[in-house]
Amino acid sequence: MKKQPDQTPECGLGRALAVIKGKWKPSLIWELHQRPIRFGELKRRLPGITEKVLFEQLRQLEVDGIVHREVYDELPARVEYSLTTFGAGLNAAVHELAEWGKRLPSPTSAVAERPPLPEGVIRVSRGVRLHDSTS
Amino acid sequence: MKKQPDQTPECGLGRALAVIKGKWKPSLIWELHQRPIRFGELKRRLPGITEKVLFEQLRQLEVDGIVHREVYDELPARVEYSLTTFGAGLNAAVHELAEWGKRLPSPTSAVAERPPLPEGVIRVSRGVRLHDSTS
DNA sequence: CAGTATCCAACTCGATACTG
DNA sequence: CAGTATCGAGTTGGATACTG
C-alpha cells in the first residue's frame, strides 16, 4: 500500500478512507448492509467485477473487521458474507458524505484540461480579469 | 480516470469519493478549512508532497468547486487557495466518517496475507473450526 | 514564488485459465 | 460454487530539472 501523509493523530479520516479504498468496496458494503449474501450472488450483483477482485476486496474488508465470512461445509461449497456491527457503523458514517455528493455534477474532474488562455488576458478563477501590460 | 461501477442513481457516494480521491486531497481540504493559504505555505505544511502533485490536486479540487484560487498580480507572484462554501460542506460531511475511523487499529489491511492453515484444519473467520475427514 | 515538463516506479485492476 | 494463479495495461504519484 502507498504511504499516506502524516495526519493529525486524533483524526481518523485517513484510516477510514483506507478501509473503503478499492473500486468496489463501497458497493460491496452497500450490497451487504441488509442481509448476508453469497459469493456468487455478489458477483452477479456487481456486473463487471472479476472473481479475483471480488475475493481480494472481500478479504480486505474481512481483515479490517467490516465484513464477516461464514463458511458452510456443504457440497457444493457455500460461503456467505455479511456486515459486522462495526461495518454497519461505517455504512452509517458514510451517509452524510453521500448526501453531499448529490450536489455534485456527475462528471468529476481528475484529468480535466485547463482551457487555453486567450491572448493578452490572464484569467483568474472567479471571473476577474487582469489585462497584461501589452494590452 | 478509471471507470467506476454502476451505482444506485440517487446515491452520491461515488461522486463524493471521486472528489477526495488523491493522496493529499483530504489533508489539503483540512489545511484550507479555516483560512486561505498560499502555494508555498501549503507545500511547507505537507512535508513530502512535490510541487507537481500539489498543483495537480489543487487544480482538481478547483475544477470540482471545492477550492478557490485567487491570483494577486504582484512581484514576486502570489496565489492564495481557500475553501469555497461548497468545499466547507464537504469538510463537514466528512466529519462523521473521521469519527468512525478513530475506532480502527492504525495499520489497515489492503495487502495482508492469509496465514498458512495448519494441517487438517479448516479455519473460519469467527474462530469456528471444522475438522476435515482425515482427522 | 508558483508553476511546468519529463521520465519512471509502484500499485490497482482486469483477462484468462485452472482447482478442490 | 468459491476460490487461485499468472500476466499485463492503465493510472497515480515521486524525482528532478527548468521557467516567467
Side-chain angles (χ1 to χ4, degrees):
Chain A
M1 203 167 190
K2 217 167 279 182
K3 213 186 91 189
Q4 281 305 116
D6 293 340
Q7 307 195 240
T8 354
E10 69 272 21
C11 178
L13 182 58
R15 271 165 292 165
L17 290 174
V19 164
I20 51 181
K21 190 184 95 191
K23 182 168 171 183
W24 304 88
K25 284 187 193 170
S27 304
L28 281 171
I29 293 166
W30 178 254
E31 291 297 338
L32 297 175
H33 92 285
Q34 263 192 335
R35 61 169 205 292
I37 309 188
R38 331 183 23 172
F39 187 88
E41 187 180 349
L42 278 172
K43 185 170 138 85
R44 278 192 305 279
R45 283 175 164 276
L46 302 179
I49 197 171
T50 62
E51 293 166 352
K52 177 201 162 205
V53 173
L54 175 55
F55 182 77
E56 279 172 2
Q57 309 221 342
L58 281 170
R59 176 88 226 290
Q60 292 169 8
L61 290 171
E62 184 195 352
V63 169
D64 288 334
I66 311 304
V67 157
H68 170 69
R69 177 172 179 268
E70 185 77 41
V71 178
Y72 296 92
D73 200 9
E74 307 172 352
L75 241 92
R78 177 171 153 229
V79 178
E80 277 188 355
Y81 293 88
S82 55
L83 273 199
T84 61
T85 329
F86 187 54
L90 171 55
N91 189 59
V94 123
H95 183 254
E96 213 181 328
L97 187 58
E99 284 301 314
W100 180 88
K102 293 184 192 169
R103 318 275 148 226
L104 272 171
S106 318
T108 32
S109 72
V111 262
E113 316 256 332
R114 192 182 281 271
L117 298 179
E119 306 279 353
V121 176
I122 300 166
R123 188 148 33 142
V124 182
S125 30
R126 80 151 79 104
V128 179
R129 279 153 184 277
L130 304 174
H131 293 266
D132 69 17
S133 49
T134 67
S135 65
Chain B
M1 201 163 188
K2 217 167 282 184
K3 214 186 88 187
Q4 280 306 117
D6 292 339
Q7 307 197 238
T8 353
E10 69 271 23
C11 177
L13 183 57
R15 272 166 290 166
L17 290 175
V19 164
I20 51 179
K21 190 185 94 190
K23 180 165 171 182
W24 303 88
K25 284 185 192 170
S27 304
L28 282 169
I29 293 167
W30 178 254
E31 291 298 337
L32 297 174
H33 92 285
Q34 264 192 335
R35 60 167 207 293
I37 309 188
R38 324 178 34 167
F39 187 88
E41 188 180 349
L42 278 173
K43 184 170 138 83
R44 278 192 304 280
R45 284 173 165 277
L46 301 179
I49 198 172
T50 62
E51 291 166 354
K52 176 203 164 206
V53 173
L54 176 55
F55 182 76
E56 279 172 2
Q57 310 223 338
L58 280 169
R59 179 86 224 291
Q60 291 169 7
L61 290 172
E62 185 195 352
V63 171
D64 288 334
I66 312 303
V67 157
H68 170 70
R69 176 170 179 271
E70 185 76 41
V71 178
Y72 296 91
D73 199 11
E74 307 173 350
L75 245 92
R78 178 174 151 226
V79 179
E80 278 188 355
Y81 293 88
S82 55
L83 274 200
T84 62
T85 329
F86 187 53
L90 172 55
N91 190 58
V94 122
H95 183 255
E96 212 181 327
L97 187 57
E99 284 301 316
W100 179 88
K102 293 183 191 173
R103 318 273 149 228
L104 272 170
S106 318
T108 32
S109 71
V111 261
E113 316 258 332
R114 191 182 280 271
L117 299 179
E119 306 278 353
V121 177
I122 301 166
R123 191 155 22 151
V124 183
S125 32
R126 81 151 79 104
V128 178
R129 278 152 186 274
L130 305 173
H131 294 266
D132 69 18
S133 50
T134 67
S135 64

